[in-house]
Amino acid sequence: MLLGHGHTARQTHSNAIAMSAAEPQPAEISPSSNSNSSSYYDAVEAEAANKYELVSPHWFYCKLVDSKERWTPFSAQDSEKLEIAHQSCKHSQDLIVPTEGGRYDVHLTKRLRCAVYWEEAESEVRRCTWFYKGEKDNRYIPYPESFSEELEDAYMICVTLDEWKKKLESPTREVIILHNPKLMVHYQPVATTDDWGATPTEQGRPRTVKRGVENISVDIPNGEPLQIDHLVFVVHGIGPACDIRFRSIVQCVNDFRNVSLSMLPAHFKKAQEQQQIGRVEFLPVNWHSTLHTGVDVDLERITLPSINRLRHFINDTILDVFFYNSATYCQTIVDTVASEMNRIYLLFLERNPDFQGGVSIAGHSLGSLILFDLLTNQKCTLDGEERKNEILATTPEESKSMKDILTELELSEYCSVFEKEEVDRQALALCTEKELKDMGIPLGPRMKILHYLRNKNSNKNLKGQKPAASVESEDAKQEAPVKPTNTGTGCRRLDVMTGQVHANYPQLIYEPQIFFAFGSPIGMFLTVRGVNRIDPDYRLPTCKGFFNVFHPFDPVAYRIEPLVVPDVEFEPMLLPHHKGRKRMHLELKEGLTRMSMDLKNNLLGSLRTAWQSFTRTSMLAVEAGTTGETEHETEAEAEASPEKQNEEKPEEASTSVKEEPTLINVGMLNGGHRIDYVLQEKPIESFNEYLFALQGHLCYWESEDTVLLLLKEIYQTKGISMDQPLP
């Protein structure tokens, strides 16, 4: 492969080298005749040219990690795609190359990497051939492309002529010296100030220079499978940070996706070899930034100045729970979540037209409650196409155009803005407040448009509902109690909707197959709302599966199954370790428990036997010394002794009963299967539950056991099982 603009200069250098090589050298053995001289010099030139080989480029992108720039390599698959596109579009317009499973687009001419499905700062992209070691860590940093070409030209001359000690100066006055092919160093100037105000430069500590990505220590992934089997939307909980390292939902979902990719070869190897599966795509859904766009200014005015950091943390995180229980902000949250999932779904289908898989949703903490409320308010009478058409229709009048809507709202002056962005009537229905703001629509017109859309959705929702039998009080207006009713399709709307904040819950344009809740407070919120039992026959209108996954020390997580079966006490399902067994400390703990129970039972049994032997001996002695005892009393004692023998091992019998597996009917919320699944704590976590409580609530993003449960359940819907089913 050629190296772009440096090729012409490199060719000129090669011609010069060839001319110099053609001159006879005094130290060399001269050819015997003129006829052999040309072939001799050609051989010398060929030998010199063979020493130099073109460097293989690799593409990198720069991202901020802990406020520091870090250059990360694209996968081998993506780098190859970028290089092919680079070679084909040198003299054409900007070419956009999808990378990282289609989640990012790279604009080759601009050298920018842009997120597709969510908002993220653009990052610089480089075609890298030369690197130098960083100052504070061992990571290698690529040189700019233009300077890399200069280094490559100088390296070619040094290799071909075998003349080293070549010194180059970068645009930032940094010095690079090529001592030999194995030793190349980079000197960064250190500025000092003398008494006269001058700033001479001194050479700082030398840093290693490497040519080619194969000579630096960096992990380059192979790339993701092209086939996407299933799509999962992931909704975050309170606050902008989702884990103990204060990372965003995008970064946490990236970890979740990476864990899933590592689980597939380990547990679905057979299906991969038979090309039955590709991968599962996980996409984040962010609602926090939209909610806090305007309300943060109002909160700032009323927040006390003391303990500023703590108050800011509370405003940014804990208050999200109160916002969701407010009718005004609850509407904003559910609108944002539903519209984002609908928007991303349509965009995903547009970029993946061959996608034939299903869709599932997952929520963490408060995000799981938002999804649960959305799912309980979905209409089950519509099929997928009718549902999509209803969502995309913003007005009952099919003839209404975008211009008519803006004229009705007295916003005709913004017609050009919507025409420029190619927003029609259907696209307007999916717009959020943030998207309207990004288009340049002021606050007043934005509120008019959003109010118009909400009223239209509200009118449509009220069409199929009967009027209320009585007028509710002001307090009851904040709730939406619904009595158990059956529709014609067999859908049930039960008391799980009791106490929900009154809002116009939007409809999703797809039917999720499975709903996963991580560290979820759904059970607690249902109880607080007045729901003390869920009908065993109840199921979510449009979703067949529901899994409630939690860590045993998670302080926010609550169970669901006791609400379905309140009269029976039973433990949640223990999620097996992804390596196929219980953790060692749990097995040891159970073994010690069984051993202590056996010792206790054996000791008690021995004491009972000894006491019975002692009492029996005493009774025989009494009988021998007493002549007035009747034969009837002797028979009564004989009858009583078997009863005592039957009481010898009551605990052993109860223990055996407890160990027998009991089939429990947990209702139809998860299609008749278990709902609550508990993770196994790590050995270090078992020492103190309180120390690891917060970690327990934020551990799901990197939990192999959680990811494996998702993959197992998702692929079971396709009839694909794991290589070795876990116990």
Side-chain angles (χ1 to χ4, degrees):
M1 290 180 288
L2 300 180
L3 292 181
H5 302 293
H7 173 63
T8 305
R10 210 159 295 128
Q11 191 174 17
T12 306
H13 286 304
S14 300
N15 295 336
I17 293 165
M19 293 175 62
S20 61
E23 299 176 2
Q25 302 295 330
E28 298 286 338
I29 301 175
S30 59
S32 58
S33 63
N34 293 333
S35 61
N36 296 329
S37 63
S38 59
S39 59
Y40 172 78
Y41 290 127
D42 290 341
V44 172
E45 182 179 355
E47 183 182 356
N50 287 336
K51 293 181 181 179
Y52 171 77
E53 294 181 359
L54 288 173
V55 64
S56 298
H58 195 92
W59 292 75
F60 282 65
Y61 64 90
C62 181
K63 64 178 183 180
L64 287 177
V65 178
D66 298 330
S67 302
K68 298 178 181 178
E69 289 188 352
R70 178 174 297 179
W71 286 92
T72 305
F74 284 97
S75 67
Q77 183 184 38
D78 288 340
S79 182
E80 183 179 356
K81 287 168 55 179
L82 290 168
E83 184 62 23
I84 294 174
H86 169 74
Q87 297 294 341
S88 63
C89 73
K90 287 183 178 180
H91 305 291
S92 61
Q93 295 180 350
D94 187 19
L95 184 64
I96 299 177
V97 180
T99 59
E100 299 177 62
R103 297 181 297 274
Y104 289 89
D105 284 339
V106 172
H107 298 256
L108 277 181
T109 302
K110 299 177 182 178
R111 291 293 196 268
L112 291 177
R113 168 179 169 269
C114 307
V116 174
Y117 298 107
W118 56 83
E119 290 189 0
E120 185 178 317
E122 297 175 342
S123 52
E124 182 185 354
V125 174
R126 282 184 188 174
R127 180 176 180 267
C128 305
T129 53
W130 285 77
F131 307 85
Y132 66 95
K133 186 174 287 188
E135 184 177 0
K136 295 183 179 179
D137 53 20
N138 293 326
R139 296 181 179 274
Y140 280 88
I141 303 172
Y143 286 104
E145 293 185 37
S146 58
F147 187 65
S148 294
E149 292 177 358
E150 295 182 19
L151 286 171
E152 185 66 20
D153 291 338
Y155 177 83
M156 183 186 65
I157 296 173
C158 292
V159 169
T160 310
L161 298 180
D162 198 19
E163 295 179 357
W164 294 93
K165 306 293 182 181
K166 183 72 173 178
K167 183 176 179 181
L168 293 90
E169 185 173 336
S170 70
T172 56
R173 301 188 65 185
E174 297 174 350
V175 178
I176 295 91
I177 301 178
L178 309 181
H179 292 285
N180 57 59
K182 301 296 183 182
L183 179 60
M184 296 175 282
V185 293
H186 174 120
Y187 293 97
Q188 188 172 9
V190 179
T192 58
T193 304
D194 55 18
D195 297 336
W196 300 95
T199 56
T201 58
E202 297 178 358
Q203 289 184 346
R205 182 180 178 183
R207 286 183 271 176
T208 307
V209 175
K210 294 291 184 181
R211 175 180 180 265
V213 70
E214 63 275 4
N215 293 319
I216 66 174
S217 56
V218 62
D219 294 329
I220 300 178
N222 293 326
E224 302 177 9
L226 299 178
Q227 176 186 335
I228 300 177
D229 304 319
H230 202 85
L231 175 63
V232 180
F233 292 112
V234 184
V235 180
H236 65 86
I238 61 173
C242 297
D243 69 350
I244 200 70
R245 288 174 283 177
F246 296 95
R247 297 184 304 166
S248 67
I249 179 63
V250 173
Q251 295 171 304
C252 291
V253 172
N254 285 343
D255 278 352
F256 203 82
R257 187 188 306 108
N258 292 334
V259 174
S260 73
L261 291 173
S262 66
M263 289 287 103
L264 289 175
H267 297 276
F268 294 89
K269 184 177 181 180
K270 183 178 179 181
Q272 276 193 331
E273 291 175 349
Q274 297 175 355
Q275 297 183 349
Q276 292 180 330
I277 64 173
R279 64 183 177 92
V280 177
E281 180 62 281
F282 297 89
L283 296 179
V285 178
N286 186 356
W287 54 266
H288 182 270
S289 57
T290 303
L291 172 67
H292 286 260
T293 300
V295 72
D296 282 352
V297 179
D298 298 331
L299 285 174
E300 190 67 28
R301 291 200 300 264
I302 61 175
T303 302
L304 299 180
S306 58
I307 53 174
N308 183 48
R309 292 185 179 180
L310 178 59
R311 295 184 190 276
H312 178 73
F313 173 78
I314 293 175
N315 290 348
D316 218 24
T317 55
I318 308 298
L319 288 189
D320 287 349
V321 179
F322 298 97
F323 283 138
Y324 187 67
N325 284 280
S326 162
T328 301
Y329 293 105
C330 176
Q331 186 68 60
T332 301
I333 292 173
V334 295
D335 282 346
T336 303
V337 172
S339 63
E340 272 294 286
M341 290 197 295
N342 288 337
R343 178 189 67 83
I344 296 174
Y345 179 69
L346 292 175
L347 182 57
F348 178 83
L349 293 182
E350 179 183 336
R351 295 174 64 89
N352 300 273
D354 298 330
F355 176 73
Q356 299 294 330
V359 183
S360 295
I361 55 179
H364 176 241
S365 189
L366 183 63
S368 63
L369 178 66
I370 298 169
L371 292 177
F372 183 81
D373 289 343
L374 274 173
L375 291 177
T376 56
N377 285 275
Q378 296 299 296
K379 297 178 182 179
C380 58
T381 57
L382 302 176
D383 60 21
E385 192 62 31
E386 290 176 350
R387 181 181 301 274
K388 184 175 178 179
N389 291 336
E390 177 173 311
I391 297 302
L392 294 178
T394 59
T395 64
E397 303 87 355
E398 294 296 331
S399 59
K400 262 195 174 182
S401 64
M402 191 68 201
K403 185 176 181 181
D404 296 333
I405 296 174
L406 294 176
T407 302
E408 179 182 342
L409 299 176
E410 299 180 355
L411 300 174
S412 305
E413 61 271 22
Y414 297 103
C415 286
S416 58
V417 177
F418 287 96
E419 290 176 359
K420 180 182 177 182
E421 299 293 336
E422 298 182 357
V423 176
D424 56 9
R425 178 173 51 83
Q426 295 179 348
L428 181 65
L430 303 175
C431 284
T432 62
E433 181 181 0
K434 190 172 188 310
E435 291 165 346
L436 293 174
K437 182 179 180 181
D438 293 341
M439 292 167 57
I441 308 298
L443 178 61
R446 284 205 309 271
M447 294 298 102
K448 285 186 178 181
I449 295 173
L450 293 174
H451 181 69
Y452 171 83
L453 296 177
R454 289 172 185 169
N455 286 343
K456 291 300 180 184
N457 290 332
S458 176
N459 293 336
K460 284 191 292 183
N461 291 337
L462 291 174
K463 278 187 176 182
Q465 299 179 3
K466 296 181 180 180
S470 60
V471 180
E472 301 181 26
S473 63
E474 290 299 323
D475 295 336
K477 287 182 181 180
Q478 297 297 323
E479 301 180 352
V482 179
K483 295 181 179 180
T485 58
N486 294 332
T487 64
T489 59
C491 253
R492 298 171 63 88
R493 294 164 59 87
L494 295 172
D495 52 358
V496 292
M497 301 175 64
T498 300
Q500 284 183 354
V501 178
H502 180 65
N504 298 321
Y505 289 92
Q507 300 296 299
L508 301 176
I509 60 178
Y510 54 86
E511 293 189 358
Q513 292 185 354
I514 309 175
F515 168 39
F516 299 96
F518 306 143
S520 173
I522 293 175
M524 182 269 291
F525 271 85
L526 291 178
T527 303
V528 170
R529 291 171 179 176
V531 179
N532 54 14
R533 182 169 184 177
I534 299 176
D535 192 302
D537 294 330
Y538 176 74
R539 63 181 68 194
L540 297 172
T542 60
C543 185
K544 298 179 181 179
F546 177 27
F547 291 85
N548 182 37
V549 184
F550 53 89
H551 190 278
F553 304 154
D554 188 341
V556 181
Y558 290 82
R559 294 188 62 186
I560 298 293
E561 289 173 341
L563 291 175
V564 183
V565 191
D567 301 328
V568 182
E569 292 186 5
F570 54 97
E571 296 295 324
M573 287 289 289
L574 183 67
L575 269 179
H577 193 259
H578 65 280
K579 292 185 179 179
R581 57 176 293 173
K582 286 185 180 179
R583 294 184 184 270
M584 185 63 68
H585 71 286
L586 292 180
E587 290 186 349
L588 180 62
K589 183 178 179 181
E590 290 182 359
L592 291 175
T593 303
R594 284 195 298 267
M595 185 183 300
S596 63
M597 288 298 298
D598 292 342
L599 289 174
K600 178 182 177 182
N601 293 334
N602 292 335
L603 179 61
L604 291 176
S606 301
L607 290 175
R608 287 194 187 95
T609 303
W611 176 255
Q612 289 172 357
S613 300
F614 174 75
T615 55
R616 188 178 298 111
T617 303
S618 302
M619 290 298 296
L620 291 174
V622 172
E623 289 175 2
T626 306
T627 57
E629 204 168 21
T630 63
E631 194 174 301
H632 175 71
E633 293 173 347
T634 306
E635 293 177 357
E637 172 140 2
E639 292 176 357
S641 59
E643 294 178 1
K644 294 180 180 180
Q645 292 176 1
N646 292 335
E647 296 175 357
E648 287 183 4
K649 297 180 180 180
E651 294 193 10
E652 290 183 5
S654 62
T655 304
S656 62
V657 171
K658 288 182 180 179
E659 291 179 355
E660 292 180 359
T662 307
L663 295 177
I664 303 171
N665 181 14
V666 292
M668 299 305 296
L669 194 56
N670 191 25
H673 303 289
R674 294 293 301 270
I675 302 170
D676 293 337
Y677 288 80
V678 60
L679 297 169
Q680 301 180 35
E681 73 271 15
K682 297 178 181 178
I684 192 174
E685 294 174 345
S686 61
F687 287 107
N688 193 309
E689 300 177 358
Y690 295 94
L691 287 178
F692 296 95
L694 180 60
Q695 174 65 25
H697 183 59
L698 305 172
C699 70
Y700 306 99
W701 307 115
E702 297 177 347
S703 169
E704 294 93 343
D705 302 344
T706 304
V707 172
L708 189 57
L709 173 67
L710 265 71
L711 295 178
K712 180 174 79 74
E713 296 300 330
I714 286 173
Y715 280 116
Q716 274 187 354
T717 62
K718 296 178 173 293
I720 300 173
S721 301
M722 295 192 302
D723 297 337
Q724 295 180 352
L726 298 178

